[in-house]
């Protein structure tokens, strides 16, 4: 591809939000103004409310927010793969959910979400460029359960399901993650923290080489060092990524490496 062509682009934004708490109710409101060199300006308001139950360690929450996302300049101006007709994505997002803590150790969370998206940007393999889909509905559910124990262990498991549909044709839009699971176990004792983190992603892929319905686990270690306390915080860290050397592939151009290790020293001041 020829990237010698030059173009000018830019985006600046200003935003403000505020939170007001009255008894068991918390209200948030915000406003964002974006000015994009290629797509003019957009105003995006947002608002939400949280209610905390007085008789339980529980709450419910709701939120509505408008979002604006302009495509990178290369997607428009690239002399080979650019699309001069590409428009920014504009979405209205809705969320409703809640959480409750039981027996002081167990926490349950559940959230419903929906987004009405205008001009969703997707890659079209036939034209080899990105194009807009006029009207898209994205909706789903996510939940999580976690437990904390006195001896320093916290375990959690969560998942989400997402359905993305073209509202004009009612076709499911593929190659967007459909099912995601997250699992973790974190043990902290004195100056050491051990973490085992796992993720499972079903990309709802159309690529024949995809092999993605498998958990990938990483092991992380952090050791706080007692040195230099007068000047800051020193720690050692280590990680083993893809701990079980699992085979995972979404696309051949984005291969996931086999098991690999890193470590180092961190100093914060």
């Amino acid at each position: 591809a020829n990237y010698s062509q030059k173009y000018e682009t830019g985006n600046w934004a200003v935003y403000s939000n505020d939170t007001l708490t009255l008894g068991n109710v918390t209200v948030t409101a915000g406003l964002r103004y974006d000015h994009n060199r290629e797509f003019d300006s957009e105003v995006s308001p947002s608002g939400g409310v949280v209610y905390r139950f007085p008789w339980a360690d529980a709450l419910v929450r709701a939120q509505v927010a408008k979002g604006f996302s302009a495509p990178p300049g290369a997607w428009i101006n690239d002399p080979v793969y650019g699309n001069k007709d590409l428009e920014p994505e504009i979405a209205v997002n809705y969320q409703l959910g809640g959480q409750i803590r039981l027996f002081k150790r167990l926490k349950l969370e559940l959230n419903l979400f929906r987004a009405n998206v205008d001009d969703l940007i997707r890659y079209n393999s036939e034209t080899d460029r990105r194009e807009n889909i006029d009207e898209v509905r994205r909706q789903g559910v996510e939940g999580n359960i976690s437990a904390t124990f006195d001896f320093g262990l916290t375990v959690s498991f969560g998942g989400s399901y997402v359905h993305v549909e073209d509202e004009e044709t009612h076709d499911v839009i593929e190659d967007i993650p459909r099912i995601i699971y997250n699992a973790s176990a974190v043990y902290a004792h004195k100056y050491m923290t051990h973490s085992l983190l796992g993720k499972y992603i079903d990309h709802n892929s159309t690529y024949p080489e995809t092999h993605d319905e498998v958990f990938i686990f990483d092991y992380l270690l952090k050791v706080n060092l007692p040195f230099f306390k007068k000047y800051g915080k020193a720690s050692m860290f280590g990680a083993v990524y893809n701990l079980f050397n699992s085979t995972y592939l979404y696309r051949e151009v984005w291969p996931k490496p086999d098991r690999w290790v890193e470590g180092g020293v961190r100093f914060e001041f």
Side-chain angles (χ1 to χ4, degrees):
N2 179 13
Y3 291 97
S4 61
Q5 177 176 326
K6 293 183 179 180
Y7 59 88
E8 294 184 357
T9 186
N11 187 93
W12 63 267
V14 59
Y15 66 92
S16 176
N17 57 58
D18 195 16
T19 300
L20 176 65
T21 298
L22 297 172
N24 296 325
V25 179
T26 298
V27 178
T28 61
L31 192 68
R32 177 184 172 110
Y33 174 83
D34 284 88
H35 182 78
N36 186 275
R37 189 164 187 163
E38 296 173 292
F39 300 106
D40 295 326
S41 60
E42 190 72 30
V43 177
S44 304
S46 63
V49 61
V50 177
Y51 177 76
R52 297 172 181 81
F53 293 94
W55 43 266
D57 189 355
L59 59 83
V60 292
R61 52 180 169 252
Q63 183 180 36
V64 180
K66 182 182 178 183
F68 168 82
S69 179
W75 293 2
I76 303 169
N77 299 290
D78 186 283
V80 178
Y81 304 108
N83 180 359
K84 293 289 187 180
D85 297 323
L86 203 61
E87 295 291 335
E89 296 178 345
I90 298 177
V92 179
N93 302 280
Y94 307 89
Q95 295 186 50
L96 176 65
Q99 68 182 50
I100 184 171
R101 186 177 297 275
L102 303 172
F103 315 115
K104 296 183 179 181
R105 302 184 187 279
L106 190 66
K107 182 179 179 182
L108 306 175
E109 297 180 74
L110 183 67
N111 295 289
L112 306 174
F113 56 86
R114 173 172 175 160
N116 297 325
V117 185
D118 292 336
D119 295 315
L120 178 73
I121 299 174
R122 299 296 295 153
Y123 173 72
N124 188 329
S125 59
E126 295 181 359
T127 61
D128 207 16
R129 63 191 62 195
R130 289 169 175 81
E131 300 175 351
N132 293 111
I133 301 176
D134 291 339
E135 296 181 355
V136 170
R137 181 174 67 251
R138 178 181 180 273
Q139 60 187 9
V141 59
E142 61 184 3
N144 189 79
I145 180 171
S146 61
T148 302
F149 301 93
D150 293 336
F151 55 88
L153 176 66
T154 299
V155 294
S156 69
F157 183 84
S160 63
Y161 173 82
V162 184
H163 179 79
V164 186
E165 180 179 304
D166 185 325
E167 290 200 280
E168 294 185 357
T169 65
H170 301 293
D171 292 333
V172 173
I173 299 176
E174 298 174 305
D175 295 306
I176 294 177
R178 176 175 53 186
I179 298 174
I180 299 175
Y181 296 124
N182 292 285
S184 69
V186 179
Y187 176 69
H189 180 67
K190 295 183 178 180
Y191 53 87
M192 300 182 66
T193 301
H194 303 266
S195 302
L196 184 64
L197 311 176
K199 174 165 282 191
Y200 171 107
I201 303 177
D202 172 8
H203 286 90
N204 196 19
S205 174
T206 60
Y207 300 100
E209 70 269 25
T210 297
H211 179 79
D212 59 352
E213 297 180 22
V214 59
F215 261 101
I216 302 295
F217 284 93
D218 300 327
Y219 167 72
L220 310 178
L221 171 66
K222 180 181 179 181
V223 181
N224 293 319
L225 301 176
F227 316 118
F228 310 113
K229 287 186 176 182
K230 182 178 178 180
Y231 305 101
K233 297 180 180 179
S235 62
M236 296 176 56
F237 66 90
V240 182
Y241 296 102
N242 195 2
L243 179 62
F244 300 111
N245 209 27
S246 302
T247 300
Y248 172 93
L249 181 67
Y250 173 43
R251 293 190 60 188
E252 289 181 340
V253 294
W254 300 326
K256 187 174 183 64
D258 294 335
R259 182 190 302 116
W260 60 288
V261 179
E262 72 172 7
V265 177
R266 181 182 293 114
F267 184 70
E268 302 175 33
F269 59 92

